[in-house]
Amino acid sequence: MASIRWLWKYAKHVKWGILLTTVITVCMYVSNISIISIQQIIVDDIIIAAAYDKLFSIIVIFTGVVSIHILTHVFGAYAYVGPTKRLNSKINDDLMRFIHRLPVQTFQKERVAKYVHYFSSDIQSISIFITTHLPYIFADIAAIIFLIYLIGSKSIFLVLIISVVSVLYVILVYYFQPQIQNMSKVVQDKKSEHLVVVEEGISSTREVLAFHQMPWEKKRYDEKFEGYFSTVMSQGRLINKQLFMSEPLKWGALLLVLGFGGYLVILDQLTLGMFVVLYGFSNRFIISFHSLFQQVMEISQNLGYVERIRRVMEKEQIKDGDISFKEDISEIVFEKVSFKYTGSLPNVLKDVMLTIPAGKKIAFVGTSGGGKSTIAQLLIRFYEPTTGKILINGIRLSDIRLKDWQQKIDIVFQDPFIFPDSIRTNITLGRHNISEEQIIETCRRAHIHDVITSLPNGYDTELGERGINLSGGQR
């Protein structure tokens, strides 16, 4: 139920798009039913009755209905595009915001390729399901109810046949739904693991070649691919098993309708035209019910995607403070701050007492692992103290609004991340209000202007993936 509520929360953002697509789909089904109905008039009232004077008017009506049917097909294909894009963007934005609020220790336990897979596959599948499959479910239900009425008005026995088929379909749905949902989640998890190995293999190409470890890398790839491929094949076998049990129901019901309808025609209890219509209605009903069955199976599969996204969005977030902080920083105080990265490891910091006044340059000097970087990461709130507290102008750091604090502090990491873009973009980092003079002056102060201008394209030099086109010192 939690996944259903999650789906509904996002479906509300595009409810009018879903309604429009549903209306167009219903019109498409109604026009299809009308085409079947006109066939009875053509057979009974024109061909058998030899009333060919009515043929032109019926052809005009038939052409009009077919035109409507074609138009609903065309517009139906476009109606969901806009809502799908908006919904995809909405879920993307929400997931990205959640990821940005994950504690660093949580984020570092996952692989980048897993998160990429959420954005490139899971969210897209969920968006298409909400904006496309849900309208078809509503339209199929409406078509089934309408067809039961039409068929029941001509033959109760045919309705009984259809009812038996419906019950069997419901049983199949109940049986297969949890299996398909669980298998879908397993397949996506295995695909994520496979993509992680692919991403790592591409990123580490230089090292793999340098140390002649191509066979080792291929073995890692083959093992993960085999795991993914095996689960895909298992999913395929499950789907084939479901089809093996559902398809005979569809064709068996149509054979019963065909046999019983033909028998009524022989007894002159049903006209040939009405037999054609009833067979067409029954066929349309079976198709609609089969489509509804498949859509319900899609629900199971997409609930697997939803479960994966929910697992990320329901993880513990960095707690935001509620105190606005616009003033200048006068001092930073550590009061008996202790910290360890996990419960099983020893303290990196223990009962640190420290006051950092404004306007001073402070250096922390010590051996590797002594806690220098840890202090910086506590200050930018990548981590929270295990015990003790950090005070900013007497206010506990965790009580200050995160957005306000982020505007007060900057950090240059020991291991820089270089975006695969120009030097200019890496320096401005998306800021468009910085002039060329400011960029050059900043680089002069950092003593890197001469290095940059010595490169072929200066500030417009493309750096490549993780700055591969630069030397280690230049990075």
Side-chain angles (χ1 to χ4, degrees):
M1 285 303 295
S3 294
I4 297 294
R5 287 194 296 270
W6 190 93
L7 275 175
W8 174 242
K9 179 181 72 173
Y10 283 100
K12 288 190 293 185
H13 290 280
V14 289
K15 56 181 181 295
W16 296 116
I18 294 173
L19 178 61
L20 176 61
T21 305
T22 303
V23 170
I24 292 175
T25 307
V26 168
C27 290
M28 181 173 63
Y29 286 177
V30 169
S31 62
N32 181 257
I33 293 170
S34 300
I35 290 171
I36 296 172
S37 300
I38 292 173
Q39 294 174 20
Q40 187 258 327
I41 300 173
I42 294 174
V43 174
D44 288 341
D45 299 346
I46 296 178
I47 297 176
I48 295 178
Y52 297 110
D53 56 309
K54 301 177 182 178
L55 184 60
F56 180 76
S57 59
I58 290 298
I59 289 176
V60 171
I61 295 172
F62 187 80
T63 303
V65 175
V66 169
S67 299
I68 293 172
H69 189 67
I70 294 172
L71 286 173
T72 54
H73 263 290
V74 173
F75 284 110
Y78 286 99
Y80 69 87
V81 173
T84 301
K85 181 177 180 297
R86 291 197 301 273
L87 187 60
N88 192 82
S89 178
K90 168 66 177 172
I91 303 176
N92 270 323
D93 290 346
D94 287 353
L95 180 58
M96 184 62 76
R97 189 172 65 251
F98 273 96
I99 289 174
H100 285 164
R101 297 294 300 275
L102 287 174
V104 170
Q105 63 265 39
T106 300
F107 184 79
Q108 289 177 340
K109 292 177 182 177
E110 298 287 354
R111 300 304 182 103
V112 173
K114 281 192 175 183
Y115 289 105
V116 173
H117 188 214
Y118 293 145
F119 287 100
S120 63
S121 178
D122 294 34
I123 292 178
Q124 185 176 5
S125 298
I126 292 170
S127 301
I128 291 174
F129 169 74
I130 291 175
T131 57
T132 306
H133 294 289
L134 280 183
Y136 272 93
I137 289 174
F138 299 146
D140 283 329
I141 292 173
I144 288 168
I145 294 171
F146 186 46
L147 286 166
I148 287 176
Y149 167 75
L150 292 176
I151 297 169
S153 64
K154 306 299 180 184
S155 173
I156 295 298
F157 183 76
L158 290 179
V159 173
L160 291 176
I161 293 175
I162 291 171
S163 298
V164 171
V165 174
S166 303
V167 171
L168 291 175
Y169 263 108
V170 170
I171 293 172
L172 284 177
V173 169
Y174 182 78
Y175 176 75
F176 280 105
Q177 182 180 20
Q179 298 180 60
I180 291 179
Q181 178 179 342
N182 183 65
M183 183 57 70
S184 173
K185 187 168 66 174
V186 172
V187 167
Q188 293 304 313
D189 287 341
K190 289 294 183 182
K191 186 176 181 180
S192 292
E193 292 175 10
H194 173 239
L195 289 175
V196 166
V197 174
V198 172
E199 186 267 337
E200 289 177 346
I202 294 172
S203 299
S204 62
T205 297
R206 184 178 61 179
E207 285 72 17
V208 170
L209 292 176
F211 291 97
H212 313 292
Q213 290 298 309
M214 290 78 79
W216 171 74
E217 183 63 36
K218 183 178 183 301
K219 182 181 178 182
R220 292 178 68 234
Y221 175 87
D222 289 345
E223 287 175 352
K224 289 300 180 182
F225 179 77
E226 180 61 31
Y228 168 55
F229 182 77
S230 296
T231 55
V232 169
M233 293 301 293
S234 298
Q235 184 185 42
R237 286 191 292 270
L238 181 61
I239 293 173
N240 286 338
K241 182 179 178 182
Q242 169 248 302
L243 290 173
F244 180 76
M245 298 178 68
S246 62
E247 283 293 323
L249 286 175
K250 170 185 174 182
W251 295 106
L254 289 176
L255 282 174
L256 285 173
V257 171
L258 188 64
F260 181 71
Y263 177 71
L264 293 180
V265 171
I266 293 172
L267 296 178
D268 286 331
Q269 295 180 14
L270 195 68
T271 66
L272 183 60
M274 185 55 67
F275 167 67
V276 171
V277 169
L278 280 178
Y279 181 79
F281 282 168
S282 300
N283 185 45
R284 179 68 257 181
F285 177 89
I286 297 298
I287 290 173
S288 295
F289 212 100
H290 188 75
S291 173
L292 181 61
F293 173 75
Q294 295 298 333
Q295 299 296 342
V296 173
M297 290 298 98
E298 287 286 337
I299 291 179
S300 302
Q301 183 171 329
N302 280 277
L303 286 179
Y305 300 146
V306 169
E307 184 67 22
R308 282 164 48 83
I309 299 296
R310 281 183 53 237
R311 280 188 308 192
V312 178
M313 290 190 169
E314 291 179 355
K315 288 181 179 178
E316 182 183 0
Q317 302 284 292
I318 298 174
K319 293 182 175 62
D320 200 0
D322 53 9
I323 298 177
S324 176
F325 191 83
K326 304 296 183 183
E327 62 197 82
D328 292 335
I329 299 173
S330 59
E331 67 174 10
I332 299 172
V333 176
F334 281 58
E335 283 193 2
K336 293 188 175 181
V337 171
S338 297
F339 177 78
K340 58 174 133 182
Y341 285 96
T342 64
S344 59
L345 293 176
N347 282 324
V348 179
L349 301 175
K350 185 175 181 181
D351 294 332
V352 173
M353 300 288 291
L354 175 68
T355 299
I356 304 174
K360 300 291 184 180
K361 293 179 180 178
I362 306 297
F364 295 97
V365 181
T367 58
S368 179
K372 304 183 297 297
S373 298
T374 301
I375 290 176
Q377 294 189 87
L378 289 174
L379 282 173
I380 59 175
R381 291 202 63 191
F382 274 7
Y383 299 96
E384 299 293 337
T386 306
T387 60
K389 55 187 177 181
I390 300 173
L391 303 176
I392 310 298
N393 293 3
I395 304 171
R396 194 168 191 146
L397 178 57
S398 57
D399 293 335
I400 296 174
R401 288 179 186 169
L402 196 59
K403 184 178 180 180
D404 290 348
W405 180 242
Q406 288 171 342
Q407 293 176 347
K408 294 288 185 181
I409 190 167
D410 292 303
I411 185 169
V412 178
F413 291 104
Q414 182 176 341
D415 183 21
F417 182 88
I418 304 295
F419 290 91
D421 209 312
S422 67
I423 292 177
R424 186 187 312 280
T425 299
N426 273 275
I427 292 173
T428 59
L429 204 59
R431 298 175 177 89
H432 299 291
N433 59 339
I434 299 176
S435 67
E436 183 75 7
E437 291 74 18
Q438 288 176 299
I439 294 174
I440 293 173
E441 177 60 24
T442 301
C443 291
R444 286 187 188 279
R445 291 189 179 190
H447 301 287
I448 57 173
H449 174 71
D450 293 340
V451 174
I452 294 172
T453 54
S454 69
L455 297 172
N457 296 311
Y459 284 88
D460 294 316
T461 300
E462 296 288 327
L463 299 182
E465 187 75 22
R466 297 181 181 271
I468 195 67
N469 294 331
L470 298 176
S471 69
Q474 288 172 332
R475 281 197 291 274

